[in-house]
Protein backbone atom coordinates (compact mmCIF):
# COMPACT_ATOMS: atom_id res chain seq x y z
CA UNK A 1 0.00 0.00 0.00
CA UNK A 2 1.14 3.54 -0.77
CA UNK A 3 2.41 5.23 2.40
CA UNK A 4 2.05 8.94 3.14
CA UNK A 5 3.72 10.91 5.93
CA UNK A 6 1.78 13.97 7.13
CA UNK A 7 3.81 16.45 9.19
CA UNK A 8 1.28 18.91 10.62
CA UNK A 9 0.97 20.46 14.08
CA UNK A 10 -2.67 21.56 13.75
CA UNK A 11 -4.80 18.57 14.78
CA UNK A 12 -7.90 19.68 12.86
CA UNK A 13 -5.97 20.08 9.60
CA UNK A 14 -4.09 16.83 10.18
CA UNK A 15 -7.30 14.85 10.76
CA UNK A 16 -8.73 16.36 7.57
CA UNK A 17 -5.68 15.28 5.56
CA UNK A 18 -5.59 11.80 7.07
CA UNK A 19 -9.32 11.24 6.52
CA UNK A 20 -9.26 12.42 2.91
CA UNK A 21 -6.16 10.49 1.86
CA UNK A 22 -7.29 7.37 3.73
CA UNK A 23 -10.56 7.49 1.78
CA UNK A 24 -8.44 7.19 -1.38
CA UNK A 25 -6.87 3.97 -0.11
CA UNK A 26 -3.62 5.53 1.10
CA UNK A 27 -1.89 4.57 4.34
CA UNK A 28 -1.23 7.81 6.27
CA UNK A 29 1.04 8.37 9.28
CA UNK A 30 0.78 11.67 11.18
CA UNK A 31 3.37 13.44 13.33
CA UNK A 32 2.80 16.85 14.90
CA UNK A 33 6.30 18.33 15.17
CA UNK A 34 9.15 19.03 12.82
CA UNK A 35 11.90 17.14 14.59
CA UNK A 36 10.05 13.82 14.67
CA UNK A 37 8.81 14.48 11.16
CA UNK A 38 12.36 14.79 9.85
CA UNK A 39 13.39 11.55 11.54
CA UNK A 40 10.46 9.71 9.93
CA UNK A 41 11.08 11.31 6.52
CA UNK A 42 14.78 10.43 6.47
CA UNK A 43 13.86 6.74 6.74
CA UNK A 44 12.72 6.78 3.12
CA UNK A 45 9.77 4.52 3.99
CA UNK A 46 7.19 6.87 2.49
CA UNK A 47 5.99 7.45 -1.07
CA UNK A 48 5.03 11.08 -0.40
CA UNK A 49 5.17 13.68 2.37
CA UNK A 50 2.68 16.45 3.12
CA UNK A 51 4.61 19.09 5.02
CA UNK A 52 3.32 22.07 6.97
CA UNK A 53 5.50 25.17 6.57
CA UNK A 54 5.18 26.40 10.18
CA UNK A 55 6.02 23.68 12.71
CA UNK A 56 7.26 23.48 16.30
CA UNK A 57 10.87 22.40 16.95
CA UNK A 58 11.88 22.46 13.26
CA UNK A 59 10.10 24.37 10.50
CA UNK A 60 9.04 22.91 7.18
CA UNK A 61 11.55 24.83 5.08
CA UNK A 62 14.41 23.44 7.17
CA UNK A 63 13.00 19.93 6.80
CA UNK A 64 12.72 20.00 3.02
CA UNK A 65 16.16 21.59 2.67
CA UNK A 66 17.71 18.93 4.89
CA UNK A 67 16.01 16.08 3.04
CA UNK A 68 17.17 17.28 -0.36
CA UNK A 69 20.69 17.96 0.91
CA UNK A 70 21.11 14.37 2.14
CA UNK A 71 19.60 12.91 -1.01
CA UNK A 72 16.04 11.99 0.05
CA UNK A 73 13.95 12.49 -3.09
CA UNK A 74 10.50 11.60 -1.70
CA UNK A 75 7.89 13.93 -3.31
CA UNK A 76 6.83 16.73 -0.95
CA UNK A 77 3.58 18.69 -0.96
CA UNK A 78 4.17 21.78 1.16
CA UNK A 79 1.08 23.17 2.92
CA UNK A 80 1.14 26.65 4.43
CA UNK A 81 -0.94 29.56 5.68
CA UNK A 82 1.74 31.81 4.13
CA UNK A 83 0.26 32.64 0.76
CA UNK A 84 2.60 35.26 -0.74
CA UNK A 85 4.42 34.43 -3.96
CA UNK A 86 7.90 34.80 -2.44
CA UNK A 87 7.11 32.19 0.19
CA UNK A 88 5.85 29.77 -2.45
CA UNK A 89 8.98 30.28 -4.55
CA UNK A 90 11.16 29.80 -1.46
CA UNK A 91 9.48 26.49 -0.68
CA UNK A 92 9.77 25.16 -4.22
CA UNK A 93 13.37 26.26 -4.58
CA UNK A 94 14.24 24.46 -1.35
CA UNK A 95 13.04 21.23 -2.94
CA UNK A 96 9.28 21.07 -2.46
CA UNK A 97 7.41 19.56 -5.41
CA UNK A 98 4.15 21.47 -4.95
CA UNK A 99 2.77 24.18 -2.65
CA UNK A 100 -0.78 24.38 -1.32
CA UNK A 101 -2.13 27.35 0.63
CA UNK A 102 -4.40 27.05 3.69
CA UNK A 103 -7.33 26.91 3.87
CA UNK A 104 -7.66 24.31 1.14
CA UNK A 105 -10.33 22.00 -0.23
CA UNK A 106 -9.70 18.38 0.74
CA UNK A 107 -10.38 17.10 -2.75
CA UNK A 108 -7.86 19.53 -4.24
CA UNK A 109 -5.23 18.40 -1.75
CA UNK A 110 -5.92 14.76 -2.61
CA UNK A 111 -5.74 15.53 -6.33
CA UNK A 112 -2.33 17.14 -5.92
CA UNK A 113 -1.10 14.15 -3.94
CA UNK A 114 -2.30 11.80 -6.69
CA UNK A 115 -0.52 13.88 -9.35
CA UNK A 116 2.77 13.80 -7.44
CA UNK A 117 2.50 10.07 -6.82
CA UNK A 118 1.73 9.40 -10.47
CA UNK A 119 4.56 11.66 -11.63
CA UNK A 120 7.04 9.94 -9.33
CA UNK A 121 5.89 6.49 -10.42
CA UNK A 122 6.27 7.44 -14.09
CA UNK A 123 9.79 8.74 -13.56
CA UNK A 124 10.84 5.55 -11.79
CA UNK A 125 9.20 3.33 -14.41
CA UNK A 126 10.88 4.90 -17.44
CA UNK A 127 14.27 5.82 -16.01
CA UNK A 128 16.76 3.69 -17.90
CA UNK A 129 19.90 5.83 -17.76
CA UNK A 130 21.60 8.41 -15.56
CA UNK A 131 23.62 11.28 -17.06
CA UNK A 132 25.97 13.91 -15.71
CA UNK A 133 27.57 16.03 -18.44
CA UNK A 134 29.13 13.49 -20.86
CA UNK A 135 29.05 10.68 -18.30
CA UNK A 136 26.30 8.10 -18.80
CA UNK A 137 25.26 5.08 -16.76
CA UNK A 138 22.92 2.62 -18.46
CA UNK A 139 20.71 1.06 -15.78
CA UNK A 140 19.57 -1.75 -18.07
CA UNK A 141 22.91 -3.01 -19.40
CA UNK A 142 24.80 -1.75 -16.32
CA UNK A 143 27.42 -0.17 -18.57
CA UNK A 144 29.10 3.21 -18.16
CA UNK A 145 30.73 5.58 -20.60
CA UNK A 146 32.42 8.99 -20.52
CA UNK A 147 32.74 11.10 -23.66
CA UNK A 148 31.31 8.08 -25.53
CA UNK A 149 34.22 5.92 -24.36
CA UNK A 150 33.24 2.74 -22.44
CA UNK A 151 34.37 2.44 -18.83
CA UNK A 152 35.22 -0.84 -17.15
CA UNK A 153 33.74 -0.78 -13.64
CA UNK A 154 33.92 -3.39 -10.92
CA UNK A 155 30.57 -4.18 -9.22
CA UNK A 156 31.28 -1.99 -6.18
CA UNK A 157 32.47 0.86 -8.41
CA UNK A 158 29.25 0.62 -10.41
CA UNK A 159 27.14 0.73 -7.25
CA UNK A 160 29.12 3.69 -5.91
CA UNK A 161 28.79 5.59 -9.18
CA UNK A 162 25.07 4.87 -9.40
CA UNK A 163 24.52 6.24 -5.89
CA UNK A 164 26.49 9.39 -6.72
CA UNK A 165 24.63 9.93 -10.01
CA UNK A 166 21.18 9.32 -8.53
CA UNK A 167 21.99 12.19 -6.19
CA UNK A 168 23.66 14.54 -8.67
CA UNK A 169 24.57 17.83 -7.05
CA UNK A 170 23.96 16.47 -3.54
CA UNK A 171 26.81 16.23 -1.04
CA UNK A 172 26.93 12.65 0.20
CA UNK A 173 28.64 12.00 3.52
CA UNK A 174 30.94 9.05 4.03
CA UNK A 175 28.35 7.53 6.36
CA UNK A 176 25.63 7.74 3.68
CA UNK A 177 27.91 6.21 1.05
CA UNK A 178 29.10 3.43 3.33
CA UNK A 179 25.60 2.39 4.37
CA UNK A 180 24.21 2.55 0.81
CA UNK A 181 27.05 0.86 -1.07
CA UNK A 182 28.35 -1.60 1.52
CA UNK A 183 25.13 -2.04 3.48
CA UNK A 184 26.36 -1.62 7.02
CA UNK A 185 27.23 1.15 9.44
CA UNK A 186 30.15 3.44 8.78
CA UNK A 187 33.46 2.73 10.51
CA UNK A 188 35.27 6.08 10.89
CA UNK A 189 38.56 4.22 11.17
CA UNK A 190 38.46 2.82 7.64
CA UNK A 191 39.67 4.45 4.41
CA UNK A 192 37.62 2.07 2.26
CA UNK A 193 35.49 4.84 0.78
CA UNK A 194 38.46 7.06 -0.04
CA UNK A 195 40.21 4.17 -1.78
CA UNK A 196 37.18 3.35 -3.93
CA UNK A 197 36.51 7.01 -4.74
CA UNK A 198 40.15 7.31 -5.83
CA UNK A 199 39.85 4.29 -8.12
CA UNK A 200 36.57 5.55 -9.54
CA UNK A 201 38.08 8.98 -10.20
CA UNK A 202 40.88 7.46 -12.26
CA UNK A 203 38.25 5.96 -14.57
CA UNK A 204 35.66 8.75 -14.55
CA UNK A 205 37.98 11.77 -14.49
CA UNK A 206 41.11 10.87 -16.49
CA UNK A 207 43.60 13.58 -17.55
CA UNK A 208 42.18 15.81 -20.26
CA UNK A 209 38.57 15.67 -19.06
CA UNK A 210 36.88 18.08 -16.66
CA UNK A 211 36.56 16.38 -13.24
CA UNK A 212 32.98 15.52 -12.23
CA UNK A 213 33.61 13.99 -8.78
CA UNK A 214 34.53 16.55 -6.15
CA UNK A 215 35.59 16.25 -2.51
CA UNK A 216 33.78 18.60 -0.13
CA UNK A 217 36.20 18.95 2.76
CA UNK A 218 34.68 17.83 6.05
CA UNK A 219 31.41 16.78 4.39
CA UNK A 220 31.89 14.06 1.78
CA UNK A 221 31.69 13.77 -1.99
CA UNK A 222 29.50 15.09 -4.79
CA UNK A 223 29.21 14.44 -8.51
CA UNK A 224 27.96 17.38 -10.55
CA UNK A 225 28.07 19.17 -13.87
CA UNK A 226 31.35 21.08 -14.42
CA UNK A 227 31.43 24.50 -12.75
Amino acid sequence: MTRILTIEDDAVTAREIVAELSSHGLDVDWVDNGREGLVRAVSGDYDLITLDRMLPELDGLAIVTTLRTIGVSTPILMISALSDVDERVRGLRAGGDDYLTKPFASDEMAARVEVLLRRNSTVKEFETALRVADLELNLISREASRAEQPLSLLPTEYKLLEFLMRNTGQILSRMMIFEEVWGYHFDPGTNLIDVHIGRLRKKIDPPGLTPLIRTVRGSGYVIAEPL
Side-chain angles (χ1 to χ4, degrees):
M1 180 180 289
T2 301
R3 298 189 66 197
I4 309 295
L5 174 62
T6 290
I7 309 174
E8 169 64 62
D9 65 320
D10 180 71
V12 174
T13 302
R15 284 195 290 267
E16 182 180 348
I17 293 172
V18 172
E20 179 67 25
L21 296 182
S22 296
S23 73
H24 288 260
L26 304 176
D27 183 15
V28 188
D29 290 340
W30 167 42
V31 295
D32 61 3
N33 70 84
R35 195 168 301 281
E36 183 184 354
L38 178 60
V39 171
R40 294 279 196 97
V42 167
S43 72
D45 292 336
Y46 295 94
D47 299 287
L48 183 138
I49 299 166
T50 71
L51 176 63
D52 186 22
R53 172 66 175 85
M54 307 293 286
L55 290 164
E57 299 190 30
L58 194 65
D59 71 71
L61 199 60
I63 291 174
V64 70
T65 301
T66 300
L67 291 175
R68 296 313 187 223
T69 298
I70 65 176
V72 177
S73 58
T74 307
I76 297 174
L77 171 61
M78 299 192 72
I79 299 177
S80 177
L82 303 174
S83 59
D84 60 281
V85 174
D86 288 344
E87 184 62 34
R88 176 186 177 90
V89 170
R90 191 174 295 114
L92 295 177
R93 281 181 176 174
D97 297 277
D98 198 0
Y99 193 99
L100 183 63
T101 302
K102 296 178 181 180
F104 55 85
S106 295
D107 56 349
E108 179 185 358
M109 179 274 301
R112 294 193 184 210
V113 166
E114 293 287 354
V115 167
L116 291 177
L117 287 172
R118 188 162 55 247
R119 182 192 305 168
N120 194 50
S121 175
T122 300
V123 169
K124 289 180 179 178
E125 181 179 352
F126 291 100
E127 186 177 50
T128 60
L130 302 173
R131 296 178 181 82
V132 178
D134 56 355
L135 173 65
E136 180 173 340
L137 193 66
N138 189 307
L139 301 176
I140 304 301
S141 64
R142 298 179 69 83
E143 296 174 339
S145 63
R146 174 96 198 259
E148 300 185 352
Q149 297 300 311
L151 304 172
S152 177
L153 301 179
L154 297 174
T156 301
E157 293 170 344
Y158 175 92
K159 194 171 182 179
L160 175 57
L161 181 60
E162 180 182 358
F163 184 49
L164 290 169
M165 293 181 71
R166 284 190 182 278
N167 297 280
T168 299
Q170 305 279 357
I171 299 172
L172 302 177
S173 69
R174 286 175 171 80
M175 180 182 295
M176 293 166 61
I177 294 172
F178 207 82
E179 292 183 352
E180 175 67 24
V181 177
W182 281 271
Y184 47 94
H185 293 300
F186 176 64
D187 177 359
T190 182
N191 67 344
L192 186 63
I193 294 173
D194 306 285
V195 169
H196 278 78
I197 287 285
R199 291 175 179 170
L200 189 59
R201 271 192 171 129
K202 289 181 180 179
K203 298 179 179 182
I204 301 301
D205 298 329
L209 294 180
T210 304
L212 300 178
I213 300 175
R214 299 199 299 272
T215 301
V216 182
R217 188 175 298 277
S219 297
Y221 299 97
V222 60
I223 191 168
E225 299 279 345
L227 298 175

